[in-house]
Amino acid sequence: MYSMDGLSTALGEITLVLFTTLAPSGVVALILMGLPFLSGCAGERERVAIDRFMCIPIAVTLTGLVVSTTHLGNPANALYVLAGVGRSPLSNEVFAGVVFLGLAGVYWLTAFSERQRAGLRRAGLAVVCAAGMAFVGAIAFAYDAPTILAWSTPYVPLALCLNALSGGPLLALLSLHVAGYRAVRGRLGWALVCAAALLAAANACVYMLQGLGLAGIENHVTAAASQVPGYFAMLGAFAVLVGAGVGVAASALRAGSDPRRSTTVRLAAACVLALAGIFVMRFAFYMMHLTVGLGV
C-alpha cells in the first residue's frame, strides 16, 4: 500500500501535478512549432496557419497555469507571489509564466492581422521562444529546495526538462498536423516522434536513478522510499503510457492515406497517453516530499 503521508501530500498538490505536467510540454510544443518559420522552411501560407494554430500549445500551457492558481487559495495572493520576484523560486516561476503567456498571446493574436512583416514576426517569435525556455527553466528549479531532501537532487530539474522534451514533440506534431503543415507527414514528423521516444527513454533512466537513491534519503521520521513504495510500478506505468503514445503517433504517420480526422484523433490520443505517463511521475514526485527534521 502507499504511504498515507505521501499519498495525501500528492493529492493535496494535485493542481501543481497538473501544472508541471501540462505547462512545460505546451511550451516546448510551441517552440517546436515555431522552428519551420524561424528556419525559413515554411511558406507564407503555412507560416500563417502555423501561427494561428499555436493556440493549441498556448491553451495547454494556460490550462496548467490557471489550474495551479487554485493552489494559492485566494486569487489575491497572486500579488504576494509576484512581490517576491527575484528572491523566491516560486515567484520567479509564476512571473516567467505570465510573461511567456503574455508574449505568446500577443504573437498569436497578431497572426490574424492582414498586414504582417515577416522579419518583425520572426524577431517576435524568437523572443517568445526565449521566454518559453526561461519559463521551463524556472519551473525546473522552483523545487530545488535544500530543506526538502528528496527534491534537492540533480534528478529533479533534469527529469522535468525531459518531461517537457518527451511530451512537447508529440503535442507539436498534433498542432502542426491540424495546421495543415505537410512536412509533418515526412521527415519532420518522424524526427518529432523519434525525439519523443529517445528523450522519454532518457527520462526513464533518470527516474530509475532517482528511484534507486530514495532509500538513502531519510530524516528522523522516515525514508523517502517509504513515501512512495510503488515508485517503480509508477515508473513502469510511465514507460508503458509514453511508449504507447509514441507508438500511436508513429502509426498515425505510417497510415498516410487515412482521412485527416482519423490521423488527428490518433495524434490527440498519443498526446493524452504521453501526458498521462508524465502525470504519473509528477504525482510520484509530490509523494516523495520529505523535509529535514521531523516532518514529511
Side-chain angles (χ1 to χ4, degrees), residues 19 61 65 92-102 131 135 138:
F19 166 63
T61 306
L65 189 62
N92 294 339
E93 175 190 50
V94 173
F95 179 72
V98 170
V99 170
F100 167 72
L101 284 171
F135 181 31

Side-chain angles (χ1 to χ4, degrees), residues 155 158-159 162-163 166 197-213 231-232 235 238-239 281:
Y155 301 124
L158 181 57
L162 287 172
N163 281 342
S166 301
L198 291 173
L199 291 163
N203 203 7
C205 292
V206 170
Y207 279 132
M208 176 68 72
L209 293 173
Q210 179 176 258
L212 293 174
Y231 182 91
F232 289 102
L235 176 55
F238 165 83
M281 291 312 295

Side-chain angles (χ1 to χ4, degrees), residues 134-210:
F135 181 31
V136 173
I139 298 173
F141 289 97
Y143 302 94
D144 185 14
T147 56
I148 304 179
L149 301 175
W151 293 2
S152 188
T153 72
Y155 301 124
V156 170
L158 181 57
L160 191 138
C161 290
L162 287 172
N163 281 342
L165 294 171
S166 301
L170 297 182
L171 184 57
L173 179 59
L174 168 64
S175 303
L176 288 169
H177 168 73
V178 174
Y181 188 51
R182 295 184 179 181
V184 293
R185 287 288 190 175
R187 292 182 179 179
L188 177 58
W190 285 108
L192 290 172
V193 170
C194 290
L198 291 173
L199 291 163
N203 203 7
C205 292
V206 170
Y207 279 132
M208 176 68 72
L209 293 173
Q210 179 176 258

Side-chain angles (χ1 to χ4, degrees), residues 42-269:
E44 181 61 20
R45 288 187 178 181
E46 292 175 322
R47 192 270 302 167
V48 171
I50 290 173
D51 282 353
R52 292 179 178 180
F53 279 96
M54 280 185 177
C55 61
I56 296 175
I58 289 175
V60 170
T61 306
L62 181 61
T63 299
L65 189 62
V66 169
V67 167
S68 72
T69 59
T70 61
H71 184 69
L72 299 175
N74 185 334
N77 292 334
L79 297 176
Y80 296 102
V81 172
L82 293 176
V85 173
R87 53 186 174 82
S88 166
L90 174 60
S91 296
N92 294 339
E93 175 190 50
V94 173
F95 179 72
V98 170
V99 170
F100 167 72
L101 284 171
L103 292 172
V106 170
Y107 180 84
W108 174 70
L109 286 172
T110 57
F112 295 90
S113 172
E114 292 184 2
R115 296 182 179 180
Q116 301 182 21
R117 296 183 179 180
L120 186 59
R121 290 196 63 77
R122 184 174 284 109
L125 180 57
V127 171
V128 171
C129 292
M133 288 186 282
F135 181 31
V136 173
I139 298 173
F141 289 97
Y143 302 94
D144 185 14
T147 56
I148 304 179
L149 301 175
W151 293 2
S152 188
T153 72
Y155 301 124
V156 170
L158 181 57
L160 191 138
C161 290
L162 287 172
N163 281 342
L165 294 171
S166 301
L170 297 182
L171 184 57
L173 179 59
L174 168 64
S175 303
L176 288 169
H177 168 73
V178 174
Y181 188 51
R182 295 184 179 181
V184 293
R185 287 288 190 175
R187 292 182 179 179
L188 177 58
W190 285 108
L192 290 172
V193 170
C194 290
L198 291 173
L199 291 163
N203 203 7
C205 292
V206 170
Y207 279 132
M208 176 68 72
L209 293 173
Q210 179 176 258
L212 293 174
L214 289 179
I217 300 175
E218 57 185 10
N219 61 11
H220 295 290
V221 177
T222 185
S226 66
Q227 296 292 102
V228 202
Y231 182 91
F232 289 102
M234 297 175 84
L235 176 55
F238 165 83
V240 170
L241 287 168
V242 178
V246 171
V248 171
S251 71
L253 292 181
R254 283 197 299 268
S257 59
D258 280 5
R260 180 184 175 87
R261 180 177 296 180
S262 175
T263 301
T264 301
V265 170
R266 289 193 191 189
L267 292 177

